[in-house]
Amino acid sequence: MQLRRRAGSVQRGFTLLGLLAWAIVIGFVALIGLRVFPSVNEYFTILRAVNKVASEGGSTVAEIRAAFDRQKDIEYSISSISGRDLEITKENDRVVVRFAYDKEIELFAPVYLLIKYQGEGRAR
């Protein structure tokens, strides 16, 4: 028995090569996401610590740096910066704490992703 297709009907669906191409794209995006997530999480942890230190850390540069280092000891995920990396200024009688750092993330040898983080916290 022979099946006949009607004129004008087209088969739809994925080909094996199309499916493989999508799997590679999704896998690469997942690899980048899994490698970048810990770094982004660390950035937000640093930002929370800097905001807390700017509000409650003290009035001198040394006190604020020491308060950040104590906060860093509590938050085990902070490893990219320390208290000496903070830029501490006073603007309109309010303490402003700024930070900036670079993070290199190895995707697969020899390909790296460079992310530049920066942020600031102000006393309330």
Side-chain angles (χ1 to χ4, degrees), residues 24-42 105-108 113 115 117:
I24 290 171
V25 168
I26 291 170
F28 188 70
V29 169
L31 171 73
I32 291 173
L34 288 173
R35 297 286 173 109
V36 169
F37 178 74
S39 175
V40 172
N41 188 35
E42 180 188 27
I105 300 169
E106 181 180 2
L107 296 178
F108 47 88
L113 179 64
I115 303 176
Y117 291 108

Side-chain angles (χ1 to χ4, degrees), residues 9 16 20 23 43 49 74 106 124:
S9 70
L16 183 60
L20 184 61
Y43 168 74
I74 294 170
E106 181 180 2
R124 296 177 191 192

Side-chain angles (χ1 to χ4, degrees), residues 10-30:
V10 178
Q11 289 185 348
R12 298 173 196 254
F14 287 106
T15 64
L16 183 60
L17 289 177
L19 191 61
L20 184 61
W22 276 109
I24 290 171
V25 168
I26 291 170
F28 188 70
V29 169

Side-chain angles (χ1 to χ4, degrees), residues 34-80:
L34 288 173
R35 297 286 173 109
V36 169
F37 178 74
S39 175
V40 172
N41 188 35
E42 180 188 27
Y43 168 74
F44 285 115
T45 303
I46 291 171
L47 194 58
R48 271 194 319 272
V50 164
N51 282 324
K52 183 175 182 178
V53 167
S55 296
E56 307 165 2
S59 58
T60 67
V61 172
E63 289 175 351
I64 292 171
R65 287 189 173 153
F68 181 81
D69 285 334
R70 282 192 305 274
Q71 192 68 29
K72 179 183 168 192
D73 291 339
I74 294 170
E75 296 287 345
Y76 62 90
S77 65
I78 298 175
S79 63
S80 296

